[in-house]
Amino acid sequence: MRAGLLLALIITIAVPMSSAITLSPELITMVGSLINSAVNEEGQVTIAGRVISYKAKGRVHSLKEPWVYDGTAWDISSGISEKAKHYKSKHGAIKNAMLQLLGRLKKEGIMKDEL
């Protein structure tokens, strides 16, 4: 996370100072992709035969807590999703979103109580 923010800060400062850097669409896309991969995470896992997708996104929150993560997990088959907001780490946000989703799937009888 900090590396991505540092990279963005360096580019922001360096670009106005240097006439050698041309802001091409390719460069902007590449920098955006680097920052996105540094602060966000997404993927899929299979739990008890169900494919669960997950995503964590970082965001600016406040001066006291400048950066937090929100997580989302969703069951591909049913389309049911759950969100977990305001965590200090990507993994904490993902973990809590997945736990909420699994609890909901069990409560609604979609998933057996085998976990």
Side-chain angles (χ1 to χ4, degrees), residues 42-109:
E42 59 185 88
Q44 284 186 342
V45 294
T46 301
I47 300 174
R50 301 194 72 84
V51 178
I52 309 291
S53 289
Y54 61 86
K55 175 173 47 174
K57 289 187 129 188
R59 65 180 169 93
V60 175
H61 177 62
S62 67
L63 290 175
K64 188 175 180 182
E65 286 182 294
W67 194 260
V68 297
Y69 289 94
D70 298 332
T72 305
W74 61 98
D75 177 51
I76 298 297
S77 298
S78 67
I80 295 173
S81 67
E82 286 291 329
K83 292 183 180 182
K85 293 187 171 191
H86 199 100
Y87 288 86
K88 291 183 180 182
S89 72
K90 292 184 254 189
H91 300 266
I94 291 168
K95 175 185 168 186
N96 284 286
M98 290 185 81
L99 288 172
Q100 289 177 25
L101 175 64
L102 295 174
R104 183 170 170 195
L105 292 173
K106 288 178 187 178
K107 180 180 175 184
E108 294 187 13

Side-chain angles (χ1 to χ4, degrees), residues 2-47:
R2 291 182 182 168
L5 294 175
L6 181 60
L7 177 63
L9 180 62
I10 290 169
I11 290 171
T12 303
I13 292 170
V15 168
M17 292 180 183
S18 171
S19 61
I21 296 176
T22 303
L23 286 179
S24 68
E26 295 83 16
L27 176 63
I28 293 169
T29 301
M30 182 183 75
V31 170
S33 177
L34 287 171
I35 293 170
N36 187 38
S37 65
V39 299
N40 300 321
E41 184 173 330
E42 59 185 88
Q44 284 186 342
V45 294
T46 301
I47 300 174

